[in-house]
Structures are given as structure tokens and as C-alpha cells.
Amino acid sequence: MKTLLLARHAKSDWGVLGLADHDRPLNARGRRDAPAMARRLVDEGVRVDVIVSSTAVRARSTAEEYAAASGAEIIEEPSLYAASARAILAIAAALPDDADVAMLVGHNPGMTDAVDELTGAYAELPTGAVAECAVDIGSWAELIEGAGRLLRVRAPRDGV
């Protein structure tokens, strides 16, 4: 059994004119929500073995908060930026098998679509949300569409 956490980056800052989308940082709410969500996962007993993050500044900053709280290693994955659901699931299928709980930090609409394709359940992922999916597989390479079950969606506004 593996657990895949699909996380949407925390709230980003749109206030800098001319800044490329990839370079947008977290705004004040995002800087508050990301560490709070990371602590929440730890407090709820969710152990993260590895984190794979989009290289976008807002996603990487979010991933760094989860890494600080969990002690997990971050792997940067440029293809997570603006990735489709199928691309996200392909990245998950390439995860190291010694990781039983993995987190991917990326962007919508891909993350929401990936939850749907993996579990068959639609779950809205607002900024900062994490979908926890159970996957009955022994190896990440076995990950296919429909193989997961949505356990829970955590969002900053519902308890942080």
C-alpha cells in the first residue's frame, strides 16, 4: 500500500507587474498557510518520505515548508509546472519504491484532475489544499488511472 499526497501550492502573489508566472512568490496568506498545513499533516500523523515539487517559486516555497516539518527530501521536477493529470500520474509512477508516502506539489487544474483520474472522485483543491490518496500497489510503477481511493482533502480554511 502506498499513499500519494497531491498538493496544490499555497496562495501566490499577483502584485508584481511584469513578473513571469513561474517566478511568482507566495503572498502573505500563502506564507502563513503553507507552514500551518505542513504542521497539520505532522500533527495528524501523516509521514512524508519524499516530496516532488514543481520548480515554480510558489510551489517550491510550499514544498520547503512540508520538508521542514517532515524532514523529507525535495526533488525538483520541472515538468510538474503546468502539468496535466496524466503527466502528474506519470511522475508519481516514477517515484522511488522505498517511499511509501509521497507528496507532489504542483498547480491546478492538473492537481485536481489528477485526483479525479487516480481515484474517480472529484475533489476541489483550493490553494494550499492536500488530497490524500491510498493506492493499493507494491511499486509506484504499478500506478494507473483509477487505482487509488481518495481518503481525505485538507485545505487551509478547514482547520488551520
Side-chain angles (χ1 to χ4, degrees), residues 125 138 142:
L125 296 182
E142 300 168 17

Side-chain angles (χ1 to χ4, degrees), residues 11-160:
K11 191 77 173 164
S12 62
D13 189 347
W14 288 85
V16 181
L17 294 177
L19 189 64
D21 181 72
H22 189 273
D23 298 330
R24 282 191 293 118
L26 296 178
N27 69 10
R29 189 172 106 195
R31 289 190 306 274
R32 180 186 69 237
D33 288 350
M37 286 293 292
R39 282 190 309 275
R40 181 175 169 191
L41 285 182
V42 170
D43 290 348
E44 292 178 4
V46 178
R47 177 186 49 83
V48 179
D49 298 317
V50 65
I51 299 168
V52 180
S53 176
S54 158
T55 55
V57 171
R58 61 195 180 274
R60 177 63 194 215
S61 297
T62 302
E64 287 170 356
E65 295 297 341
Y66 285 107
S70 67
E73 165 194 11
I74 298 174
I75 300 168
E76 287 191 352
E77 178 52 62
S79 64
L80 263 177
Y81 178 70
S84 68
R86 291 194 184 224
I88 291 166
L89 296 181
I91 291 165
L95 287 164
D97 283 331
D98 61 346
D100 289 323
V101 181
M103 172 181 275
L104 273 56
V105 181
H107 313 268
N108 256 2
M111 284 296 169
T112 293
D113 293 345
V115 171
D116 185 23
E117 285 200 24
L118 179 62
T119 68
Y122 178 78
E124 182 61 36
L125 296 182
T127 53
V130 179
E132 182 178 359
C133 306
V135 191
D136 191 12
I137 54 175
S139 169
W140 288 106
E142 300 168 17
L143 187 86
I144 59 169
E145 182 180 328
R149 183 171 40 92
L150 180 61
L151 298 177
R152 184 171 179 190
V153 174
R154 294 169 179 87
R157 296 291 176 220
D158 64 20
V160 175

